[in-house]
């Protein structure tokens, strides 16, 4: 079996509109088949910050846009409190298709985190997006995004809120061996706030981490 990768589907030297169009036809892993559609990134083409989540959820899969469900509403509020605006950033996910299983009755679609093969397969899309947007700050929202950007040693509990170097966009998935000038800040995924027992404290932590991002953007 051939190694799963989106690379053959990613056009060279394309803008975001062309990348988004090409991503609709991606068959780089098996997630495209049960999903409703590809959910590509959205936002400013020349944003100072790119926020990377895990994967689209149920509502994102149905609407074809990132961060439009409950977690997206948490993120919008946290961005505003941190002094950032959704329209000034670029939002995307490490994986562009919704991975899910169905409940016993077969009606509800239940989120499943993407595995390492699926994250690696989708990484060329993320690299292409980052290359076009060319942000000065990349934000990893949660563990899956962090591992997609920095590799398997990433731990969100240890690295959240810490300013560090982002890998070159064409070499994601490993700690950078050289300085790129692009900063990376990790925080929790906003869906983790919704699941937290101490929701107020979890939300305050998310806002605090995003304020670090805002300070880097000036």
């Amino acid at each position: 079996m051939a190694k799963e990768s989106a690379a053959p589907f990613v056009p060279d030297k394309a803008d975001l509109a062309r990348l988004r169009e090409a991503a609709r036809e991606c068959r780089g892993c098996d997630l495209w088949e049960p999903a409703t559609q590809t959910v590509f990134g959205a936002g400013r083409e020349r944003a100072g910050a790119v926020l990377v989540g895990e994967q689209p959820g149920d509502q994102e899969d149905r609407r074809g846009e990132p961060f439009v469900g409950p977690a997206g509403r948490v993120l919008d509020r946290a961005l505003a409190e941190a002094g950032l605006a959704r329209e000034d950033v670029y939002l995307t996910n490490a994986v562009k298709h919704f991975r899910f299983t169905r409940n016993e009755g077969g009606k509800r679609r239940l989120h499943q985190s993407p595995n390492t093969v699926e994250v690696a397969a989708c990484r060329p899309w993320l690299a292409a997006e980052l290359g076009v947007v060319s942000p000065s700050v990349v934000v990893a929202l949660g563990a899956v995004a962090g591992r997609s950007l920095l590799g398997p040693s990433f731990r969100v509990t240890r690295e959240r809120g810490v300013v560090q170097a982002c890998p070159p966009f064409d070499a994601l998935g490993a700690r950078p061996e050289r300085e790129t000038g692009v900063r990376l800040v990790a925080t929790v995924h906003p869906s983790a706030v919704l699941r937290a027992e101490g929701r107020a404290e979890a939300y305050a932590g998310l806002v605090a981490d995003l304020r670090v991002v805002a300070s880097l953007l000036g």
Side-chain angles (χ1 to χ4, degrees):
M1 180 178 176
K3 181 179 179 181
E4 293 182 331
S5 177
F9 301 91
V10 181
D12 293 331
K13 299 178 181 178
D15 61 11
L16 287 177
R18 177 73 185 94
L19 289 172
R20 186 175 293 109
E21 180 183 355
R24 295 191 187 113
E25 305 303 320
C26 185
R27 304 293 184 264
C29 74
D30 293 338
L31 291 182
W32 69 271
E33 195 164 8
T36 304
Q37 59 192 314
T38 303
V39 181
F40 205 69
R44 290 187 60 183
E45 182 146 343
R46 292 295 179 185
V50 171
L51 279 67
V52 183
E54 178 190 275
Q55 66 166 2
D58 181 75
Q59 292 190 35
E60 288 81 6
D61 173 72
R62 297 179 192 278
R63 292 173 56 180
E65 301 174 57
F67 291 98
V68 293
R73 291 190 287 274
V74 171
L75 180 60
D76 286 348
R77 186 158 60 95
L79 285 169
E81 287 194 34
L84 300 165
R86 183 182 177 119
E87 56 267 26
D88 292 333
V89 303
Y90 184 84
L91 298 172
T92 191
N93 283 296
V95 172
K96 311 302 187 204
H97 287 107
F98 180 33
R99 186 176 196 252
F100 62 91
T101 185
R102 293 193 181 273
N103 67 349
E104 191 172 330
K107 293 183 179 180
R108 288 186 61 214
R109 303 192 303 174
L110 306 176
H111 166 277
Q112 283 190 313
S113 290
N115 61 37
T116 55
V117 172
E118 292 154 350
V119 171
C122 210
R123 194 175 282 125
W125 289 117
L126 179 57
E129 288 176 289
L130 290 170
V132 172
V133 179
S134 191
S136 58
V137 183
V138 176
V139 183
L141 298 171
V144 171
R147 289 194 293 269
S148 178
L149 292 161
L150 291 171
S153 67
F154 173 83
R155 296 293 181 272
V156 67
T157 52
R158 182 178 64 214
E159 301 183 54
R160 62 175 301 178
V162 177
V163 181
Q164 55 187 301
C166 182
F169 299 150
D170 60 355
L172 299 178
R175 302 283 173 170
E177 296 181 357
R178 60 180 175 83
E179 186 65 37
T180 64
V182 180
R183 305 289 91 188
L184 187 147
V185 178
T187 187
V188 297
H189 194 282
S191 63
V193 174
L194 294 173
R195 296 191 303 269
E197 290 185 11
R199 188 176 295 187
E201 182 180 359
Y203 176 76
L206 172 62
V207 173
D209 294 338
L210 291 176
R211 282 182 176 142
V212 174
V213 176
S215 71
L216 293 173
L217 295 173

